[in-house]
Each structure stands twice: as structure tokens, then as C-alpha cells.
Amino acid sequence: MAAESPCIQAGALDLEASCEEGAGCAEGCAEELPAGENGSESSSSSSSEDDSDTEESDTRRSDEEQEKKESQPDRNESGGVNCLPHCEHCRNENAQREQVTPRRLAGGQYLLKLDADGTYQCSVTGLIFEVTEAVTISYSLLSWSKYAGLVKPPWVVGGPLFDVHCKAASALTSIAFPHSLCLGDGDSHPAFKVLHIKGAGAAIEPSMDYSASHVRWLVSSLSPVGPLIRSEEPLLYHGAVVLYKAVDSDPSLLFRVYVATNNESFIKDIAKAVKHSKKKFIKIDKPPVCQKLLQKGKRYRLLCEPEAEVTPEEIEFVDGSLLKLKSYIEVYLEKHEDFTLSLIELESEAVVWKAKLRESDWIHYDQNKNELKRNAVSIKRRKSTNSFSEEETHCGKKQRSNSTTDGIKTTNLLTDQQLMAIAKLFGAEWKEVAIECLQMEMKDIQQIQAKEQEVNMQKFLLLSKWREREQSNGTAQNLYNRLGEKVSYDIVQLLEGIHFSYLFNFITVSQMCFKSSRQRVY
């Protein structure tokens, strides 16, 4: 593959280009693999139980809006980087495909309705579909770590894993999967295949051809599929650096820095790992794409200016797609001050990635948290310092339910609109959360599903049932306490915002009630 012509058109390569490991490999041949520990799970269950982690990332805008527009690629909803990385050898291929934007469904699924035959590229995931007629395609991003037992050496993961479904399966002739390797130097001649997971087992199937950015596969049947690669030369990866900041009462700063391949399955796994961490984290929005390629086996160092505690000081880069536990670098600073992080390749001392972090990158989240705490303290202080009369106490009690004082209505109960907003943020795990945290029964869920087909409405009706059962305690604070750390930060923030709004209204009405009672006394 020549460096000056990195983009290989579909069909430009014969099968041998992607089956270099054996001259006798013919189209349709497949190497059967036994099922791994989790291989017996069906494709439908694997996609439904994947978390919808879009939202799980509480990104905050910094003061460098223009800098981001120029240097940061578009993000998809799982926090990954859309389609092609910023590589001068690989970036030109997208212009040759018709870009289509999918509809986002519950459970992290995407839906595309294509009106005619042709070749279409998903603007969010980078998948390329070749169809012979108008079709509807649904697909979701899966985790490679779940199927780690099915990937055997010398094969390694080449890109994200997807579960694709199409009502008219015969009309979907080929799928091109984005890969995370850079082949633009012309010296790499890897062998690409795909891992096709089929119920209790899997098969390694040949690819049709590959390009600087994609691996094309002739559709044999539809179930989880992702690209594999084997190469005699060192593999060069498009990399990404993902940042998270711990959220706690400690005045110091604690960050997690993940160095990953630009592989959406990998990046989604990172978001899930952070979500289920004992500590709470928010995602820091900085340009993630590495400006130089990452190479397996090479060592890298993360530097901080001014100096901070960095653990570990050095790492050896490996593609951690198959690992259940994702490694990260911890950065600890005692003082709140601006600082710069730089990822350095030790051998060449080249800067691979660099970002300046400012307090404005996370201050909005902290301000919201502190404002909520300050108002809560203010209410407690008001209760302890003011000696209300019996009439005033009665007035305060009325405010905690639904009442109107001097034309101002205040309510602590969650409204239908608020419940719907919360419902839309729940991912595929909503049933488990309902049973475990809200003490709902499976029969309640089944009854709701029998009446309503739309998933968001199902979640809304379930939350409504919880509110009805809780009666006067169907509040944002109560729901927040019950859900705990089982839900995404988006839901936590929304509940905190609702509660803060209630506190503000409560304080306002309390003050009016207090003034009114004092006037009656005098």
C-alpha cells in the first residue's frame, strides 16, 4: 500500500490481500473457534445488556472553544472519536462515502433507515454499509473483553466490535469496520480477518479487502462481528488519551489518565470502568487524539508541569481491548492550579499528546455541587436560628407538600416532565436498577411492557408507579438516595438540579411566610 495513495477502494484488493496467512484460503472459508467463557450468550442478549454510556460522561467546556474546534475531532455519544483520526495518511477516505446520521435508541443502539441501494457511512461509528435496496439497519457497540477467550494468538483486535441487525438481511451485502491501525507508511502488510461470534462459538472469517481506515467483510449472517489483525511488523496504532477527574470534598486534585487505541469498544469500556468505580469521576473534555502513533511494546511517560505525583511514572503500551481491567495513570496535585500534561515517547522523546488543564474545565460541576450544599446548610441554619411560632411551623410543613402561598406554588414531588427527563437518561440496565434500588417487582415491569412498546415510556411509567407508591416521599432527594451509585452521572446531576430548584423555591416561600407571620404579630 503506497503512502501517497492510502485509500483503497472497495473491491480493489483480491482476497489474498486480507488472507496472507495462507495461500489456500478461499472466500467463505472460516476457522471455527470453541466458545469462550461468555461465548454461549446470544447476540441479542449481548447487545441489550451493554450499558448506554453516552451519557455517562459529564463533559465540561473550557475557555478554549476555538482551540477545540480546530484540534478536536467530532465525538460520538459513547465518548469515542468519530470515524477517522487526524492522520495525514488516513483522513481523506470519508469524502468518498455518503455520510448518514443514525437515530439513537435505548440501550446504546443505533438505527439507520436507508432509502435506496448504495454505500453509506455512519457519521457516528464510522461503519460503512453496502446495500442493494432500501433497508433498516440497527447496530450497537459491544465490548471485546466479554469475548476475550475467542481471540487467540497470533490474532489481535483490530477495531471495535459491533452487533448488526437488518430486517432484510440479504440486502446488506457488506460491512466495512473502522480499524485503529495506521497503514499509511506503505511498509505495513498485515493480514485482516473478522471474528464472527455465532451463539455458542465463533469463527474467524476472511475479509474482502482493507483500506487505510476500514476492513470490509462480505456478510454471511448477522451477529457480533469485529476486525482482527495479524502482522509480522510492529503495529502502529492511532491513539487517544481520555481524562477523568475525581469528584469529592478533598481540596486536592485527582485525575485518571487512560492511554488507549482509538477503538470505540475500548473507549466505551473505559467509561464503564469509571462509572463502576468506588469514587465518582467526571470526564474532562480535552482533544483526545494522539498527534503521533502509539506502538505496542514502546514505553511512554506522562509529565506534569508544574510537578505532580504521577503513578506509574512510565507505562509500556499495549492494546488493552481484551482486558477486563483497564490500566490508567493517576495524577495527584495538592493545589488547585492550571497545569499541563504531556505524554512522551521515551525512545525518541517526542511529544505524543499534550493538553493544558484549567480549573474552568471542571469548575461548573463543582460550583453546582457547592451551591446545592450551601443552600442545604442555609436551610438547616434557618431551622436552628429561627424560632417559629406554631403557625409558622404549620406553614413550613405545608410547603413540603403541595401548597400555594401568596400566589407562589411550591412542590417537592417529582413532576411527569421531570420523570420523563430521568427516564430518557436510563440505559439498558433500567430493569435491574428498578428491582434492586426501587424495590419494584418483575411483574410490575412485565405489566408495563405489555401495555407500552416504547422503551422510554416503559421507564417513565415505572418511575410513575414508584412515585405513586412513595406518595408524599416521591421526591428528587428520595430517588437520589435510592439510586445511589447505580446510575450515570447525568441522572445524578439532573436529580441534584431538580432538588436545588426545589430548595430555592422553598427558601423563597419560607421567607415570604416568615415575613407574613411577623407582620401579623406586630
Side-chain angles (χ1 to χ4, degrees), residues 145-303:
S145 60
K146 181 175 181 179
Y147 303 101
L150 302 178
V151 182
K152 305 293 185 183
W155 295 100
V156 297
V157 171
L161 179 70
F162 286 94
D163 189 15
V164 182
H165 296 276
C166 181
K167 292 181 179 179
S170 60
L172 180 57
T173 57
S174 73
I175 304 173
F177 299 90
H179 64 73
S180 52
L181 301 167
C182 181
L183 310 178
D185 58 7
D187 296 330
S188 298
H189 302 285
F192 278 103
K193 283 196 175 183
V194 298
L195 183 71
H196 190 182
I197 300 166
K198 303 177 180 180
I204 293 180
E205 297 182 355
S207 59
M208 292 180 66
D209 50 51
Y210 66 87
S211 73
S213 60
H214 285 77
V215 181
R216 192 159 71 104
W217 170 66
L218 182 66
V219 175
S220 56
S221 62
L222 292 175
S223 56
V225 179
L228 298 178
I229 186 172
R230 191 184 79 174
S231 177
E232 300 299 328
E233 296 89 12
L235 295 175
L236 298 175
Y237 291 91
H238 296 295
V241 176
V242 189
L243 302 173
Y244 287 89
K245 177 189 176 293
V247 178
D248 52 31
S249 58
D250 196 311
S252 60
L253 299 175
L254 182 66
F255 293 84
R256 284 187 181 183
V257 181
Y258 290 86
V259 181
T261 59
N262 198 349
N263 173 340
E264 288 197 53
S265 289
F266 194 164
I267 293 172
K268 182 178 180 180
D269 278 354
I270 290 172
K272 288 175 66 176
V274 171
K275 177 182 175 182
H276 292 101
S277 170
K278 291 182 179 180
K279 283 181 173 288
K280 287 187 177 181
F281 288 86
I282 58 169
K283 194 169 185 296
I284 302 300
D285 194 11
K286 288 294 175 181
V289 175
C290 293
Q291 300 306 308
K292 299 186 75 66
L293 300 172
L294 300 176
Q295 184 173 329
K296 180 182 178 182
K298 282 198 172 183
R299 298 193 67 81
Y300 298 85
R301 173 178 292 165
L302 186 69
L303 301 180

Side-chain angles (χ1 to χ4, degrees), residues 395-447:
C395 179
K397 287 180 179 178
K398 287 177 66 180
Q399 317 265 320
R400 293 183 184 90
S401 57
N402 296 333
S403 64
T404 303
T405 303
D406 293 337
I408 299 179
K409 184 176 182 181
T410 175
T411 176
N412 199 9
L413 295 178
L414 287 163
T415 66
D416 286 351
Q417 292 76 17
Q418 290 167 343
L419 288 183
M420 178 56 78
I422 296 167
K424 289 180 178 180
L425 293 177
F426 272 107
E429 77 291 347
W430 67 276
K431 297 175 189 175
E432 292 89 336
V433 172
I435 294 172
E436 182 179 351
C437 301
L438 304 182
Q439 284 72 54
M440 306 300 289
E441 296 183 4
M442 193 62 201
K443 66 178 182 180
D444 298 324
I445 299 174
Q446 291 172 341
Q447 288 173 357

Side-chain angles (χ1 to χ4, degrees), residues 310-440:
V310 180
T311 310
E313 294 181 353
E314 298 178 9
I315 60 167
E316 179 179 328
F317 177 73
V318 294
D319 179 9
S321 298
L322 296 175
L323 302 176
K324 201 168 188 69
L325 297 177
K326 308 301 182 185
S327 61
Y328 59 87
I329 303 171
E330 185 176 271
V331 178
Y332 175 81
L333 297 96
E334 289 188 353
K335 297 180 180 179
H336 277 246
E337 57 185 343
D338 296 352
F339 62 98
T340 300
L341 292 176
S342 304
L343 186 67
I344 309 295
E345 181 189 291
L346 287 182
E347 183 180 342
S348 64
E349 297 186 350
V351 177
V352 176
W353 172 89
K354 187 174 183 177
K356 185 173 181 65
L357 281 79
R358 304 168 179 84
E359 192 173 10
S360 58
D361 293 325
W362 59 84
I363 189 64
H364 298 300
Y365 182 89
D366 291 342
Q367 281 178 340
N368 290 339
K369 295 277 288 183
N370 292 335
E371 192 69 25
L372 187 62
K373 290 178 180 177
R374 280 198 298 270
N375 280 275
V377 170
S378 175
I379 290 175
K380 290 180 180 178
R381 192 174 295 144
R382 187 182 303 278
K383 285 181 179 179
S384 62
T385 58
N386 289 337
S387 97
F388 286 134
S389 66
E390 192 172 351
E391 182 182 353
E392 291 164 351
T393 304
H394 177 66
C395 179
K397 287 180 179 178
K398 287 177 66 180
Q399 317 265 320
R400 293 183 184 90
S401 57
N402 296 333
S403 64
T404 303
T405 303
D406 293 337
I408 299 179
K409 184 176 182 181
T410 175
T411 176
N412 199 9
L413 295 178
L414 287 163
T415 66
D416 286 351
Q417 292 76 17
Q418 290 167 343
L419 288 183
M420 178 56 78
I422 296 167
K424 289 180 178 180
L425 293 177
F426 272 107
E429 77 291 347
W430 67 276
K431 297 175 189 175
E432 292 89 336
V433 172
I435 294 172
E436 182 179 351
C437 301
L438 304 182
Q439 284 72 54
M440 306 300 289

